[in-house]
Amino acid sequence: MTKILAVDDSASIRQMVSFTLEGAGFEVVQTEDGQEALDWAKANGSVDLVLTDVNMPRMDGLTLITHLRELEDYKYLPILVLTTESSVEKKKIG
């Protein structure tokens, strides 16, 4: 089964994403921010996809991506950024 790491500080967004993906047959691991996601990744190994928000407390999504890319299991893993962020600068970084 395909496993997806969903990272968002909004509980309602995490629940909606998880409900939708689980309904489509995916396994979803939910974390509340980048730091929790990074800690989970280091402790549990790889997933098949990371889906992250940009603006979160403790560690934002862009910083999370930078740290995940340093991990061998996440170096080439697909990462999707879902956000309401409209800044062209942040979109380019993402």
Side-chain angles (χ1 to χ4, degrees), residues 3 17 29 36 43 45 47 49 70 92 94:
K3 186 185 290 188
V17 167
V29 175
E36 184 180 355
V47 293
L49 171 74
E70 295 170 355
K92 286 180 181 179

Side-chain angles (χ1 to χ4, degrees), residues 14-78:
R14 281 194 321 273
Q15 290 170 351
M16 179 187 66
V17 167
S18 293
F19 177 79
T20 302
L21 292 172
E22 288 169 350
F26 298 100
E27 179 182 350
V28 180
V29 175
Q30 298 181 41
T31 58
E32 294 183 8
D33 59 43
Q35 186 62 59
E36 184 180 355
L38 183 60
D39 292 344
W40 187 93
K42 287 179 176 179
N44 295 282
S46 186
V47 293
D48 299 293
L49 171 74
V50 175
L51 187 59
T52 185
D53 186 17
V54 171
N55 296 313
M56 296 178 288
R58 296 199 311 153
M59 181 187 294
D60 66 36
L62 300 177
T63 304
L64 169 63
I65 292 168
T66 300
H67 287 295
L68 287 176
R69 291 294 186 218
E70 295 170 355
L71 303 176
E72 192 60 38
D73 287 343
Y74 289 80
K75 190 173 283 191
Y76 302 107
L77 190 83

